Amino acid sequence: MARALGVSPSYLSKIETGAQDPTEKFKSSCAKYIKTSVDKLFNDSAVEDIYPEFSNGLKNKLWAVRRELGIKQYDFAKKLKVSTPFLSKVELGLLEPPEDFKNLVSKVLKMEKNELFLG
């Protein structure tokens, strides 16, 4: 995707993780590339509100809660002392986190574990 958008993979990663704000040119290019509007793609709304189909099948509410609280993925990963790719995989349900990670997330967010992780 980075190549198609004419940006470096590291720039795209920084945008995806919230470590850097995208330029207007990048927003337009990205929206055009994935065939959606800039407003739908770049906003402060919960992902589930914009793309309700995305939340179907997720194994946790971690991403939605983090976004709702306005915490950038990069900052959250740093606070949890894990890599951003690890956190991303957990949020997308691609990786089942260990219990100690679930306990730490619960403590950091001051929420019950069963509110964040399903099943």
Side-chain angles (χ1 to χ4, degrees):
M1 184 172 174
R3 186 176 300 149
L5 295 172
V7 298
S8 70
S10 63
Y11 176 78
L12 181 58
S13 178
K14 289 175 184 174
I15 299 302
E16 290 175 332
T17 61
Q20 184 171 339
D21 292 326
T23 64
E24 291 303 316
K25 181 180 177 185
F26 175 82
K27 288 179 182 182
S28 295
S29 297
C30 193
K32 184 177 179 182
Y33 178 75
I34 61 173
K35 297 177 174 67
T36 192
S37 70
V38 171
D39 291 338
K40 198 169 184 182
L41 188 58
F42 296 95
N43 60 70
D44 292 326
S45 300
V47 172
E48 296 80 15
D49 294 342
I50 306 297
Y51 297 98
E53 67 278 8
F54 183 76
S55 62
N56 293 341
L58 288 181
K59 298 176 182 175
N60 65 68
K61 297 180 180 180
L62 192 53
W63 190 20
V65 169
R66 179 181 58 75
R67 287 222 17 186
E68 187 177 302
L69 295 173
I71 304 169
K72 293 187 176 194
Q73 188 180 55
Y74 174 82
D75 296 333
F76 195 46
K78 195 172 177 181
K79 186 171 189 100
L80 296 171
K81 296 182 176 145
V82 297
S83 70
T84 305
F86 173 83
L87 180 58
S88 182
K89 288 175 185 171
V90 169
E91 288 181 336
L92 292 172
L94 301 174
L95 180 66
E96 180 63 29
E99 283 302 309
D100 59 337
F101 176 82
K102 291 179 182 181
N103 292 333
L104 178 59
V105 169
S106 176
K107 182 178 177 182
V108 167
L109 294 177
K110 297 179 176 126
M111 295 178 72
E112 293 295 321
K113 194 166 45 171
N114 63 358
E115 292 178 85
L116 296 166
F117 299 95
L118 311 173

